[in-house]
Amino acid sequence: MNYLKSLKQFFPFLYILFCTGLELAIAQKKQIPDPEETEVWDPEPSTVSFDENNVPSDAIILFDGTDLSKWQSAKGDGSPAFWTINDDRSMTVSPGNGGIETIEEHGSIQLHLEWKSPQVVKGEGQGRGNSGVFFQRRYEVQILDSYNNRTYSNGQAASIYKQYIPLVNATKSPEEWQVYDIIFIQPIFDSEGYLETNGRITVFHNGVLVQDNIQLLGTTEYIGSPKTGRDQMPGDGSETRLDRKLYLQDHGDLVSFRNIWIRKL
């Protein structure tokens, strides 16, 4: 109070400003805004329902266990996908016939994919249950039997191959199905093919967050540094045709897949 008296006596103009500001602050604090002023009604989110397999109604089903009509050989000649369809509505890599890719290309997507390691456990490191899912044929999320199987950390299951180590190893035993739920945000390139904005990936492995919205450094290379140009493809000896298809790798192991669907973002 002594401070206010001194302010009023020696600096009356400042005292008036102080009192005015204080009154305004109190008045604003007392005002209760209409709650409707902060309600947003449009646009209304569309409704998504689910089928008996918990697949959302706005998903594009890439494999439901009945046929490979959404897939083709990744050799680039338009030949059919020669992987094996099993009685349990899964499909298995046909070693030596090469990888398979979707017929349609994709941009940013949410992917659900289930996979299973070979039931006969053999080999070690990268030689055990090796495959991979590639976004736009450039960016690989590793598939590997990483259950009690040590290898280099940026090459184990759920790694962004040779770029990012998973936060944890959430791999189940080979007797169980593994589940990947992946958010892929595609990179943005300028008109000349130079990178403007890096792509990003979030990965849940068996419901566990293992890649948290990481920034893709470029193509996932077996040897050397990532390539960042729009027209560049991985140089590991695989097909280097430029496209934006989802690709499943034939690495010579009997890895199985089921229940694959995507949602466009």
Side-chain angles (χ1 to χ4, degrees):
M1 295 299 295
N2 290 333
Y3 171 79
L4 290 178
K5 288 181 179 179
S6 299
L7 188 65
K8 183 178 181 180
Q9 180 179 357
F10 298 105
F11 303 96
F13 179 70
L14 291 179
Y15 176 79
I16 293 172
L17 286 179
F18 175 82
C19 292
T20 302
L22 182 62
E23 289 173 357
L24 286 173
I26 294 173
Q28 290 176 353
K29 188 174 181 181
K30 289 182 178 179
Q31 290 177 359
I32 301 176
D34 185 344
E36 293 185 358
E37 292 182 5
T38 55
E39 295 175 359
V40 178
W41 286 72
D42 291 305
E44 181 181 3
S46 58
T47 300
V48 172
S49 58
F50 299 88
D51 67 11
E52 65 276 8
N53 295 315
N54 206 38
V55 178
S57 56
D58 62 350
I60 299 171
I61 298 175
L62 297 179
F63 180 69
D64 64 1
T66 58
D67 61 58
L68 289 167
S69 60
K70 300 291 180 66
W71 302 81
Q72 63 186 3
S73 168
K75 295 178 180 179
D77 56 5
S79 58
F82 287 110
W83 287 12
T84 304
I85 296 181
N86 308 307
D87 292 337
D88 64 353
R89 300 175 71 88
S90 67
M91 64 175 170
T92 301
V93 175
S94 179
N97 281 318
I100 62 174
E101 64 183 9
T102 55
I103 295 174
E104 300 297 328
E105 297 187 348
H106 72 84
S108 299
I109 58 172
Q110 172 187 348
L111 169 71
H112 177 90
L113 177 146
E114 300 173 20
W115 58 275
K116 197 173 188 179
S117 299
Q119 296 307 286
V120 177
V121 178
K122 61 179 181 179
E124 61 182 5
Q126 294 291 300
R128 185 185 296 180
N130 195 327
S131 182
V133 53
F134 289 70
F135 294 82
Q136 300 186 341
R137 287 184 64 96
R138 296 178 180 86
Y139 317 107
E140 179 186 10
V141 178
Q142 174 74 310
I143 290 173
L144 192 75
D145 180 3
S146 292
Y147 185 78
N148 295 330
N149 177 38
R150 189 74 171 95
T151 186
Y152 47 91
S153 298
N154 61 353
Q156 71 177 62
S159 64
I160 308 304
Y161 189 70
K162 290 288 186 77
Q163 291 190 24
Y164 291 95
I165 300 168
L167 297 173
V168 293
N169 181 359
T171 312
K172 296 181 179 180
S173 72
E175 290 78 23
E176 301 180 76
W177 282 93
Q178 318 283 337
V179 179
Y180 279 171
D181 287 291
I182 303 173
I183 306 298
F184 169 76
I185 305 300
Q186 67 178 347
I188 298 174
F189 302 93
D190 66 17
S191 59
E192 296 183 354
Y194 291 101
L195 182 67
E196 287 189 339
T197 305
N198 292 75
R200 308 191 74 86
I201 285 186
T202 298
V203 181
F204 287 86
H205 184 188
N206 294 324
V208 176
L209 180 66
V210 293
Q211 301 287 354
D212 188 6
N213 192 32
I214 58 90
Q215 177 175 284
L216 289 166
L217 305 179
T219 57
T220 47
E221 300 286 333
Y222 176 52
I223 300 175
S225 302
K227 300 170 184 175
T228 59
R230 178 194 60 199
D231 302 330
Q232 294 177 296
M233 297 292 289
D236 62 356
S238 63
E239 294 293 327
T240 56
R241 184 178 68 263
L242 179 66
D243 59 33
R244 301 193 308 159
K245 296 172 181 176
L246 193 70
Y247 167 72
L248 298 179
Q249 184 183 45
D250 170 14
H251 204 279
D253 293 325
L254 295 171
V255 179
S256 297
F257 298 87
R258 71 178 186 186
N259 196 18
I260 305 174
W261 51 262
I262 63 173
R263 295 179 63 249
K264 294 182 179 181
L265 302 179

